[in-house]
Amino acid sequence: MKTAQQILNDKKHNDILSVEPDRPVIDALIIMAEYKIGALLVMQKNKLLGIISERDYAREIVLKGKSSKECLIREVMTKDVITIYANDTYDKGLEIMTENHIRHLPVVENKKVVGMLSLGDLAKETITHQKFLIDQLESFIKS
């Protein structure tokens, strides 16, 4: 089974995208739209402070009638960020996401963020792994 780091290495875009907490929410939305992603790390001087997602925007800005141009990211971000270690397997990531009802999982190594995995990244790896297992079983049966 692949590790979180191996999946990050396979991603087309594995840059660490982040935004600072004192920026307006609109800045995070612009970055998420540009990269077609659903969440963004909130960091300051390479330190993970939180995460802001489309869910945070919908719940804390839209539903409460706030302005994304005036409200700061620190006011709406999720502060208690759940992470996964770079050497953890993808199935552990799926378990963490399922248990915590989250769709994005920062990957850390030595207390440093090395990337972020989405539920889609892990689902794709699950499908690839299942296809591999099926091929192996079919090969075994035929021999």
Side-chain angles (χ1 to χ4, degrees), residues 84 88-98 105 117 122:
I84 187 172
D88 285 336
T89 58
Y90 75 87
D91 61 329
K92 181 168 185 175
L94 284 171
E95 183 180 319
I96 291 169
M97 287 183 176
T98 302
L105 197 54
L117 295 174
L122 298 183

Side-chain angles (χ1 to χ4, degrees), residues 58-68:
R59 292 174 181 167
E60 298 298 323
I61 302 292
V62 176
L63 290 179
K64 294 183 178 178
K66 295 181 182 178
S67 167
S68 59

